[in-house]
Amino acid sequence: MRRRIVAGNWKMYTDLASATSLAEMIREGFNQSSSVDVLLCPPTPFLLPVGERLEGSGIALGAQNLYYKKEGAFTGEIAPQMLRSVGCTYAIVGHSERRTIFGESDYDVKMKVNAAIDHKLRPIICVGETEGEREEEMTYKVLNRQIREAFDGIFKEEATSCVVAYEPVWAIGTGKTATPEIAQEAHRFIRELLVSKYDQVTADNISILYGGSVKPTNAQELFAQPDIDGGLIGGASLSSQDFLTIIDAA
Ligand code: PEP
């Protein structure tokens, strides 16, 4: 059965000293016998020192992005095996900030998901509609396209190493959270898409996280929904206390 997962996305925040001390504080407060899978995604330059602080803690390391080529003249990009070599086991793919600010397309996301799987990195595939798309009742059309593209070329046996994060763009970093009912409806829809692409057993084994202004105050009711299997946490993951409370809620 699918696992509960809480992932911290530190985005472009912290410096070397604050990243390592944040990792140490989270490590100290984390209960190793927790049934929740926890991972931290620090900025790329801090992957190695944060990974060192997490060794033996049961907390995994994730990248915020990757490129899909193995190597080459791609200035500024990071290959999947480079991430593996510094201890990453997860990589966020297609975060809405990458899609909207850096013009990442569904094709890029699909290539990155495939590259991640080929290199034994678990992709956390971000999908979600913008405010305008929700107002125009396009939410399900958008989710359908994003999920179909992201899982293109992924075999059933590989699909369960993928994690999906439903992140309505209007809720990310805005303080606006989807109600548990709205989030559950979208998660249910995503699960059904996965059933139709694969089968019920496979879909039931894929964790679907919610992301978008999750805080200690709203985590519990979101995570109580049957198809919400944890969270991708941005702002609140920069506070060890808030992040640990959110892990407890999961
Ligand atoms: C995110 O970074 O994916 C995110 C959900 O951010 P926040 O929790 O700050 O809305």
Side-chain angles (χ1 to χ4, degrees):
M1 208 48 190
R2 60 185 180 265
R3 305 271 305 165
R4 295 216 149 227
I5 300 174
V6 174
N9 173 16
W10 294 357
K11 309 195 188 198
M12 201 173 77
Y13 293 105
T14 70
D15 56 18
L16 178 59
S18 59
T20 49
S21 77
L22 181 56
E24 277 163 8
M25 285 188 288
I26 292 170
R27 179 193 178 125
E28 254 170 54
F30 178 64
N31 176 358
Q32 282 227 35
S33 57
S34 165
S35 57
V36 181
D37 292 348
V38 175
L39 66 133
L40 301 180
C41 305
T44 309
F46 311 139
L47 281 169
L48 196 55
V50 165
E52 281 165 3
R53 301 310 191 281
L54 298 180
E55 256 169 46
S57 68
I59 300 175
L61 189 66
Q64 296 180 16
N65 186 25
L66 79 166
Y67 192 46
Y68 49 81
K69 298 280 189 178
K70 265 174 82 176
E71 61 180 0
F74 303 108
T75 303
E77 293 296 334
I78 301 147
Q81 67 271 28
M82 294 176 182
L83 297 172
R84 285 286 308 175
S85 73
V86 294
C88 289
T89 48
Y90 288 85
I92 298 173
V93 176
H95 190 282
S96 69
E97 287 150 16
R98 301 242 28 111
R99 292 183 192 253
T100 56
I101 304 170
F102 301 101
E104 235 172 64
S105 65
D106 287 326
Y107 173 81
D108 294 320
V109 172
K110 157 189 154 155
M111 296 299 281
K112 289 179 179 199
V113 169
N114 277 271
I117 288 177
D118 286 349
H119 292 87
K120 309 244 172 319
L121 284 166
R122 297 188 68 186
I124 301 181
I125 303 164
C126 300
V127 297
E129 79 287 1
T130 62
E131 190 153 38
E133 287 164 342
R134 177 157 284 271
E135 277 163 10
E136 285 167 34
E137 300 186 355
M138 300 273 285
T139 299
Y140 295 116
K141 198 169 171 208
V142 170
L143 293 179
N144 185 22
R145 191 198 72 232
Q146 291 177 332
I147 291 287
R148 195 166 25 82
E149 290 280 331
F151 281 86
D152 190 27
I154 304 300
F155 296 111
K156 189 167 92 168
E157 299 69 32
E158 300 165 328
T160 50
S161 77
C162 297
V163 177
V164 175
Y166 169 61
E167 300 208 304
V169 180
W170 47 270
I172 298 178
T174 58
K176 288 189 204 170
T177 320
T179 62
E181 294 72 28
I182 288 179
Q184 164 58 23
E185 212 178 278
H187 281 232
R188 178 88 231 134
F189 179 75
I190 292 168
R191 182 105 45 219
E192 274 158 16
L193 290 175
L194 295 170
V195 172
S196 65
K197 175 155 178 87
Y198 300 107
D199 52 45
Q200 188 73 52
V201 176
T202 306
D204 282 343
N205 276 301
I206 298 176
S207 301
I208 306 177
L209 315 184
Y210 171 78
S213 300
V214 178
K215 307 281 176 225
T217 45
N218 59 21
Q220 210 155 12
E221 52 175 0
L222 284 161
F223 299 163
Q225 300 301 310
D227 287 288
I228 301 185
D229 307 313
L232 177 52
I233 319 297
S237 70
L238 293 166
S239 151
S240 57
Q241 207 182 338
D242 286 359
F243 190 60
L244 289 164
T245 309
I246 292 169
I247 295 170
D248 280 346

